[in-house]
Amino acid sequence: MTEMLMEDVAEQLVARGKGILAADESTGTIKKRFDTIHTECTEENRRNYRELLFTAEGISDYISGVILFDETLRQTATDGRRFADILLEQGIFPGIKVDKGAKPLAFSEGELITEGLDGLRERLAEYRELGARFAKWRAVIPISPGAPSPYGIEANAHALARYAALCQEAGLVPIVEPEVLMDGEHNIDECYAVTETALKAVFDELYKQRVVLEQMLLKPNMIVSGIGCPEQADAAEVASKTIYCFEQTVPASVPGIVFLSGGQSEEQATLNLNEMNQNSPHPWELSYSFGRALQTSALQAWGGKTENKEAAQHAFIHRCQMTSAARDGRYSSDQEKQA
Ligand code: 13P
């Protein structure tokens, strides 16, 4: 595994029936998730929770790579094995979130810019030593009456490309994630317009900065209605507008598009992914890199209690099975009820 070419890693991450588990919540974000189950955010609880996910029986049938947070990449499981090794032993690529979060963009109210470029070359070299084979950087693009501006989109696209080029220099496959947020009352067509503009800017910067498209994956939002929009688009509309948007913006040399779930329910994200894959083939593999849509049920079932470990693993594997089926266009919501 260690000597694999980046294009082969990228291809394997989007192998049929498989996708990525985003388990790279920062300490602040995992605390928010633990708050929902009234569980204290200690290092031990974070370790126990990640351990139950990564050791769930059958995970490698559905998960090709796991994105980790810095702490987790350095952490060991209760039996003393490093998490990175536990994944590698199962044929799962460990990945690493390398951005340092989104901060307010100067002179542009309501917009954000992702930080973390300073010292990134050195951090990437260390992460590769620690076993990471791919990386993630998330740019955040909120929609509001005054945003996004061309300035906000350009600044984020530029940073994404700087990150991606450094990753490839270090031998890590970059996951390029420009996330247009679902928050707001905007309709699906506004989401389309902003996403199309953002993706055009991102691929323009990737080209200028000499990023090799065969050696990366794109992690976008689906084109959906804002959470507060009174008219919610159905899966058929989400799928057709999302695919049309990529046809306009994403070169066919990109091997795969791995969606974030972005706050959609587990079932909704699965349905939408399925709908897109039922209308295949497409120039790129359409797969998943879900955080919440793979973990919410498992987190609830666990509730921070050791005795619930098996129930949580069961819930997690069920979500993996449903999402994997959707990745191949084989999902129906009846399968949820049968479980
Ligand atoms: P969600 O699927 O919960 O949006 O998380 C994916 C992710 O990695 C966001 O950066």
Side-chain angles (χ1 to χ4, degrees):
M1 221 164 187
T2 44
E3 297 308 320
M4 265 175 85
L5 298 172
M6 282 183 278
E7 40 271 64
D8 294 337
V9 173
E11 252 177 42
Q12 288 204 12
L13 284 168
V14 290
R16 275 195 82 74
K18 292 191 187 181
I20 295 168
L21 165 66
D24 60 320
E25 299 86 357
S26 63
T27 309
T29 302
I30 198 74
K31 180 180 184 312
K32 278 193 230 155
R33 307 277 186 265
F34 281 8
D35 284 348
T36 67
I37 54 163
H38 312 292
T39 295
E40 213 187 325
C41 190
T42 59
E43 187 183 344
E44 194 184 349
N45 281 338
R46 293 193 292 274
R47 197 257 317 265
N48 291 341
Y49 175 60
R50 266 74 183 242
E51 179 167 342
L52 82 80
L53 295 178
F54 306 162
T55 59
E57 203 179 325
I59 178 178
S60 61
D61 292 341
Y62 316 105
I63 300 295
S64 53
V66 178
I67 318 175
L68 305 169
F69 184 57
D70 182 277
E71 173 186 88
T72 321
L73 182 64
R74 300 172 192 280
Q75 226 167 13
T76 52
T78 30
D79 66 4
R81 285 182 300 158
R82 296 173 61 247
F83 279 133
D85 292 331
I86 288 179
L87 294 172
L88 282 165
E89 281 161 19
Q90 301 179 84
I92 299 172
F93 293 111
I96 179 75
K97 167 198 177 75
V98 302
D99 67 68
K100 297 216 162 179
K103 308 283 160 58
L105 180 66
F107 298 126
S108 192
E109 205 179 320
E111 291 197 276
L112 299 165
I113 182 71
T114 302
E115 297 190 342
L117 287 171
D118 287 355
L120 182 57
R121 175 178 276 131
E122 292 73 20
R123 288 197 291 129
L124 291 172
E126 189 196 2
Y127 288 142
R128 199 171 193 291
E129 283 296 306
L130 289 168
R133 287 295 170 264
F134 69 103
K136 169 189 129 173
W137 177 288
R138 172 174 176 254
V140 184
I141 303 164
I143 299 182
S144 69
S149 68
Y151 160 44
I153 285 186
E154 284 307 322
N156 277 292
H158 186 265
L160 273 168
R162 293 242 345 247
Y163 139 83
L166 282 166
C167 280
Q168 291 183 344
E169 185 192 79
L172 292 162
V173 171
I175 294 190
V176 173
E177 180 179 5
E179 176 175 4
V180 177
L181 295 184
M182 289 173 68
D183 304 317
E185 292 175 5
H186 56 272
N187 65 28
I188 187 169
D189 294 320
E190 288 168 86
C191 176
Y192 178 96
V194 172
T195 306
E196 186 186 72
T197 306
L199 290 176
K200 277 187 189 295
V202 167
F203 281 98
D204 186 40
E205 281 296 335
L206 291 170
Y207 174 70
K208 284 181 188 152
Q209 299 191 41
R210 306 173 185 177
V211 172
V212 182
L213 300 182
E214 288 83 352
Q215 298 174 351
M216 62 161 275
L217 296 174
L218 178 71
K219 176 164 174 170
N221 51 286
M222 298 179 190
I223 307 294
V224 292
S225 317
I227 293 171
C229 179
E231 288 221 358
Q232 291 291 314
D234 62 13
E237 188 176 0
V238 168
S240 67
K241 290 187 171 166
T242 303
I243 288 167
Y244 186 75
C245 185
F246 298 154
E247 285 170 354
Q248 303 306 310
T249 53
V250 185
S253 47
V254 172
I257 295 174
V258 291
F259 291 102
L260 57 93
S261 57
Q264 299 183 64
S265 71
E266 291 174 322
E267 224 176 306
Q268 195 61 55
T270 312
L271 262 178
N272 289 341
L273 178 63
N274 187 63
E275 189 77 22
M276 287 186 241
N277 276 305
Q278 280 195 331
N279 302 313
S280 56
H282 305 294
W284 347 259
E285 297 296 330
L286 295 179
S287 187
Y288 49 92
S289 176
F290 292 166
R292 283 162 287 180
L294 279 171
Q295 293 186 54
T296 304
S297 299
L299 192 69
Q300 295 293 329
W302 179 55
K305 299 194 174 74
T306 317
E307 63 265 31
N308 294 337
K309 179 178 166 185
E310 266 182 38
Q313 289 181 321
H314 188 265
F316 172 59
I317 291 297
H318 172 66
R319 270 312 349 128
C320 289
Q321 286 167 337
M322 297 298 102
T323 315
S324 162
R327 183 248 172 279
D328 292 342
R330 294 183 283 106
Y331 168 80
S332 82
S333 37
D334 297 341
Q335 290 166 265
E336 300 279 356
K337 291 173 206 116
Q338 283 162 18

